[in-house]
Amino acid sequence: MSVLQLFFVITISLFSYNLNNEVEVKVTNNGVQESDIKCSENGCFGAYKGPEFINGSDVAHQFSNTMSKAVGDKLKELYRLKNFKKVDFTNIVMSTKGMGSGSVTFELHIPFVKVSSKCEAFTSFDHVGGWNHSPALERRKKELANVLMNNHKLNISDIKTTPEGLQEYWIQWKNKKTQAECQ
């Protein structure tokens, strides 16, 4: 493994904590694209700057995957600290400036709200979406069916759309392992 490859592996896998207890995740890919996510007890904010597509692959939209993982990780961390939260779907903000130009800045703000008990909290988070096409929500529901506890349902946002055509449904649920006591 080259020094450059090792640098990228370390960059992707390390979380750095600042004095405000925010988690910062910086992801780079051969210097072509960069995303930066910061999470606190109030939510996660991040941005991807780079090409929309590389070799036909929708790399910009993959930032939603990166953000979903960061949000789920933060919700689990807060739950373990007995700081029970869920995503505030109403106040999610998405921006996709430059879409269609070949280079895009994709910004996401995923806010959290406090809930009164551990079984009102959600500790897993995902999405389904697409650029200029309807998200395959029914297919995604089927894919996630096996992650649900018995008699539990996915909590799904209304569709969120940017002026440039990104459409996303955001999805949260109780993690089977983290919230087993909420069965």
Side-chain angles (χ1 to χ4, degrees):
M1 181 179 289
S2 74
V3 174
L4 186 58
Q5 288 172 323
L6 181 60
F7 171 76
F8 288 127
V9 169
I10 291 170
T11 301
I12 290 168
S13 59
L14 288 180
F15 291 90
S16 61
Y17 292 88
N18 70 19
L19 295 175
N20 295 326
N21 194 31
E22 289 184 344
V23 176
E24 183 173 340
V25 181
K26 199 163 201 107
V27 181
T28 59
N29 181 8
N30 298 329
V32 175
Q33 59 189 5
E34 186 173 295
S35 58
D36 187 16
I37 298 173
K38 293 180 180 157
C39 293
S40 72
E41 70 175 33
N42 298 315
C44 294
F45 173 80
Y48 161 88
K49 294 178 183 176
E52 290 177 59
F53 298 93
I54 297 177
N55 298 326
S57 178
D58 189 358
V59 294
H61 185 227
Q62 292 172 18
F63 179 61
S64 294
N65 299 335
T66 305
M67 177 61 86
S68 292
K69 181 178 180 338
V71 168
D73 290 348
K74 188 63 178 182
L75 289 170
K76 287 175 189 70
E77 175 191 321
L78 292 169
Y79 186 88
R80 285 189 281 277
L81 295 171
K82 301 189 182 324
N83 188 353
F84 306 120
K85 303 279 185 158
K86 67 179 184 178
V87 170
D88 179 4
F89 286 149
T90 305
N91 290 307
I92 289 175
V93 177
M94 303 186 327
S95 166
T96 51
K97 294 181 178 107
M99 189 176 148
S101 70
S103 182
V104 67
T105 299
F106 178 11
E107 294 182 346
L108 282 170
H109 177 71
I110 311 287
F112 302 156
V113 292
K114 188 165 189 60
V115 295
S116 56
S117 73
K118 64 184 174 185
C119 291
E120 289 179 74
F122 289 98
T123 53
S124 288
F125 192 73
D126 207 344
H127 75 103
V128 62
W131 300 98
N132 291 316
H133 66 82
S134 296
L137 181 58
E138 292 307 313
R139 184 181 80 215
R140 193 70 180 129
K141 285 180 184 178
K142 289 176 186 171
E143 292 169 352
L144 293 172
N146 66 335
V147 301
L148 296 174
M149 290 189 275
N150 292 335
N151 301 314
H152 285 247
K153 294 189 266 185
L154 297 170
N155 185 248
I156 304 170
S157 73
D158 292 335
I159 195 165
K160 304 283 185 181
T161 305
T162 67
E164 298 83 13
L166 173 64
Q167 298 179 53
E168 291 280 9
Y169 286 102
W170 298 98
I171 305 166
Q172 59 187 344
W173 65 94
K174 292 168 183 31
N175 183 279
K176 282 182 183 182
K177 184 178 177 184
T178 306
Q179 293 181 269
E181 68 270 14
C182 295
Q183 190 75 11

